[in-house]
Amino acid sequence: MSAALANRESALQVGIDPRWAPLAMLVTQDIALKLQFRERLVLNPQHLPHSGPVVLAPTHRARWDALMLPMAAGRRVTGRDCRFMVTTTEMRGLQGWFLQRLGCFPVNQRRPSMTTLRLAIDLLIAGQQLVVFPEGQIQRKDQPIRLHQGLVRLVQLAQKQGLSVPVIPVGLGYSQAPPRPFSRAALCFGEPMTVPTTGGRESGLRFNQYLAHAIHTAEQAARAAVGRPLNSF
């Protein structure tokens, strides 16, 4: 880890706590997920890079998403953690205290601070994987996917630093909504995508359309795998 990244994490108090992280992995992956879901499927794992900077762009349908992603892409699979950008409201109270020690960090979606953006870019420079929910919040109903522009802007800023950052669309599906005990869950990785470096705002909007379609396709595959097909819109 670079000194700049370590200093920034220390200033924001969002670094991964070496005492809490292994315990959290044990509790979430070996106990909570296994008690909640009788089956946990990971589709197309070959699309997930195991090294280098990467941004995961998943659907957000339930709080269980934040546990499914580390199971499918976290330390036990890739040798590195999932670093989540989360909303400021999710970082409050006991939940916020816990998330803070697992390396999550808050972003104000309306006015993201340069400090937060610099931390995200430092993480990518360090070759880590960043999780950004591009819909911005949990969407519990089946409806067309609408993405914010924050993910595209972040990747474009990283590209200006000379980084090549693939974006991986991710779809999560549950056999019941909301997920109930002993139900089924699936996560599907889509093929890596590249954010255009030229073309300005219009190219960013077009990329978001392609990304939304890829995320929807991945979500359809995940939902089909658990026996709850998702229709096209």
Side-chain angles (χ1 to χ4, degrees), residues 194-211:
T194 302
V195 176
T197 57
T198 59
R201 185 172 183 273
E202 289 303 317
S203 66
L205 290 173
R206 282 195 300 273
F207 175 82
N208 250 10
Q209 292 176 345
Y210 300 144
L211 178 59

Side-chain angles (χ1 to χ4, degrees), residues 98-194:
F98 189 67
L99 293 178
Q100 201 171 36
R101 282 150 182 81
L102 297 181
C104 302
F105 58 100
V107 59
N108 185 322
Q109 293 173 302
R110 295 184 178 179
R111 292 185 178 181
S113 69
M114 283 307 300
T115 303
T116 299
L117 293 176
R118 288 181 190 278
L119 172 60
I121 293 172
D122 283 346
L123 289 168
L124 294 173
I125 291 174
Q128 299 198 38
Q129 58 183 354
L130 190 63
V131 180
V132 180
F133 292 106
E135 294 174 283
Q137 59 185 1
I138 294 177
Q139 303 290 344
R140 301 187 188 277
K141 296 182 179 179
D142 293 348
Q143 58 189 3
I145 291 176
R146 294 182 174 85
L147 308 183
H148 293 279
Q149 288 292 302
L151 183 150
V152 172
R153 292 170 183 162
L154 172 63
V155 174
Q156 288 176 333
L157 286 173
Q159 289 171 334
K160 290 181 180 179
Q161 301 293 320
L163 294 179
S164 175
V165 184
V167 176
I168 310 297
V170 183
L172 290 111
Y174 303 97
S175 59
Q176 296 174 318
R180 297 183 180 91
F182 310 113
S183 56
R184 305 171 69 206
L187 182 149
C188 179
F189 293 109
E191 294 186 10
M193 303 178 68
T194 302

Side-chain angles (χ1 to χ4, degrees), residues 5 12 36 50 53 109 127 161-162 166 181 187 213 218 233:
L5 174 56
L12 294 173
Q36 178 71 14
H50 284 212
Q109 293 173 302
Q161 301 293 320
L187 182 149
H213 176 74
F233 297 106

